[in-house]
Amino acid sequence: MKILLVEDNPGDVVLLEEFLQDVTSVKFYLKQAEQLDEALRFLEQESFDVILLDLLLPDSQGLQTFIKIHHQAPAIPIIVLTGFNDETLAIKAMQQGAQDYLVKGQVNGDLLVRSMRYAIERQRTEEALRQSEERFRVALKNSPIIVFNQDKELRYTWVYNANLGSTPEEMIGKQDCDLICAEDAERFTSIKRGVLTTGIGTREEVSIATAQGKRYYDLTVEPLRNESQEIVGITGASIDISERKLALEQIRQQAALLNVTTDAIFVRDLNNCIIFWSQGAENLYGWQAQEVIGKNANQLLYKEQSSEMDAALSIVMSKGKWQGEITKVTKNGKEVLVASRRTLVCDENRNPKSILTVDTDITEKKLLEAQLFRAQRLESLGTLASGIAHDLNNILTPILAVAQLLPLKFPHVYEQDKHLLEILENSAKRGAELVKQVLSFARGVEGKRMTLQPKHLISEVTKILRETFPKSIEVYTEIAKDLWMVSGDGTQLHQVLMNLCVNARDAMTGNGTLTISAENFFIDEYYSQMHLEAKTGPYIVITVSDTGVGIPREVIDRIFEPFFTTKEQGKGTGLGLSTVMGIIKSHGGFVNVCSEVGSGTHFKVYLPAVQGTETQQVQELEILAGHGEVILIVDDEPSIQEITKASLEAYNYQILTASDGIEAIAVYAQHKNEISAVLIDMMLPALDGLTVMRTLEKINPQVKILATSGLMFTTKLPTVGNNVKSFLPKPYTVKELLHALQQVLQ
């Protein structure tokens, strides 16, 4: 036993040593310190089993002596040595943590040893209890368990790890009704009073409404008894199981999702026999679970064994997973394209035991991708075509104008020469029409919009077909009686129907049937998601069907491209369907085609329906000559500028010209009081047409503008105030120019 004796009286030191030597059963090592500082230094240098401490030392007096020693060595038991008159001081030391005290003059060897053994054992017991309590405290602190005691009135007397939104101090002395809502408190009180009444503990799941939502607890309550086994309250513990409840709920939801997901989920063993089949698999492939369990998956889902299947299985077994696109068949023999993910499932020893497969039907997705690729390809072609068409229009405009102006300049030309001029004019018009068709594909067609009844258009087209088509082709119509109206250009829609019908005629050799049908159709969100051009709302659908040779699958995605044709050379320009596409897109609609070689073709034209009554056609204004009005022509093409000037001067207009935007602004600023209207090209060097128009409006807010361009606009021309009165696409005839100018000057 290692003892530190802190005593400054040599006589007491000798006496204590003799007492210890008398007790032969104890081997001891005694080290003495006469002052407090010396004792503290010894404690820094080595450890002791017990300290014998006199409180009255040369450098320290009273209770402070004990406090300093205890602070230095809190884990070593201390026995205070005191005189007859200092027992009160010794008791105070014990209250501060001393294990015992001995009165000098009343000590013998056995008493001293017993006291030291008792002190050491008590210190160890207290330290073990302290460590146990600390472990308990740490365990509670790091766990979600709440521990509490309540008296018979169910007031909290002790709480650890408080809940109910209050701290332990705030809960002491309160009942549940003071802390939580009345409904929850009533439930808690009922459970606890039942334990007080019966003396039998209980465990239940309870919930509490909080600001963050409902929380769930596993509550255990036991009776609290005194030494006489009388019930004096309850003790309880609760643990927050909200996360576990949420996890269980998620598991239930995930299990339910297996039965509602559109993905086909199934598991097969290593012999390819199906051992699990989800509701999604039933929906996709058509087989019920009881029909497929134990069956060979390859025999059910594939028409024939393929190298692709063998490769997929090999990759799964070697790498643990595989994914790819593969074609499978349903119960009724329909082919579906699926994105398949396969995962190798292993047992606890990492030995393969089954293969999990998740199949997603991407048949419609692939159709959408094909639509998107086709739209992107057509857009690229349109961009190229529009650039070429713009330049061609600038070339054809003066040719067409000259062909019309020469007979006016030379009225006495010979008849054979007039015929040549007619050929020149007709060729220019034909070229302009081809360019117009290309532009209608590239940029759409902007025409006059009015409310139309499509069945009248179909009746007109049908009459023409029956008069002009071979008698071997029978023409039928099927039109809904309550067919909705559309907003569109009657001439353009007439052209669409004629182009489709002519193609249908050319696809039928010998006898055949051509059917034109029209019906109302409402496009919902699902349908619009499956078709890129479709929007939710009412449509009318015009279907042109034939019993011809059909369109091969490898070319069907190209039929709307300009100049693409499967007809013999000289029998088609390849612009018919591209014109159809451009016109329908400019009307806010779209076109679908379905064809099978040998079984005919169906073109479906979708046009947005509108409400209202049919608009009556307005007669065209009579073309009148001018009255000397001054017109400013702004165009960077000298030939167009010159021929337009000559054409208007022939009809009694005075002309000023400008070759770019800067010159146009300068000329207009100089003659703004004389100029009646401005004919301006939208694409100019230096300043674009739109910027010039805005500048002219600032110079004269009442300026009248007729815009022109070699490009047609699919949307309305951007207006500058109300001054852009009309738009004239190139190439234009003299009649079209005069008509447009007359409207601007009104």
Side-chain angles (χ1 to χ4, degrees), residues 44 191 336 375 478 655 687 740:
E44 290 178 354
I191 295 171
V336 290
E478 299 174 358
I655 304 300
L687 289 178

Side-chain angles (χ1 to χ4, degrees), residues 263-308:
D263 287 344
I265 303 172
F266 60 94
V267 180
R268 49 185 157 179
D269 61 22
L270 300 183
N271 294 321
N272 233 12
C273 293
I274 297 173
I275 56 178
F276 173 78
W277 189 260
S278 73
Q279 182 68 46
E282 292 183 1
N283 297 336
L284 177 57
Y285 294 117
W287 281 286
Q288 300 297 310
Q290 59 269 22
E291 296 179 280
V292 300
I293 298 298
K295 299 290 183 63
N296 187 292
N298 287 350
Q299 294 177 357
L300 286 175
L301 301 176
Y302 301 94
K303 286 186 175 180
E304 57 185 15
Q305 189 77 15
S306 67
S307 58
E308 185 180 24

Side-chain angles (χ1 to χ4, degrees), residues 111 226 431 445 484 535 587 598 690:
L111 177 60
N226 60 14
V445 181
W484 294 329
K535 297 180 180 178
H587 281 72
L690 191 59

Side-chain angles (χ1 to χ4, degrees), residues 500-527:
L500 293 177
C501 291
V502 168
N503 282 350
R505 178 202 64 189
D506 294 344
M508 293 182 286
T509 56
N511 297 330
T513 301
L514 189 153
T515 304
I516 306 175
S517 62
E519 60 181 340
N520 300 326
F521 185 74
F522 188 88
I523 292 181
D524 57 18
E525 291 186 5
Y526 176 77
Y527 189 93

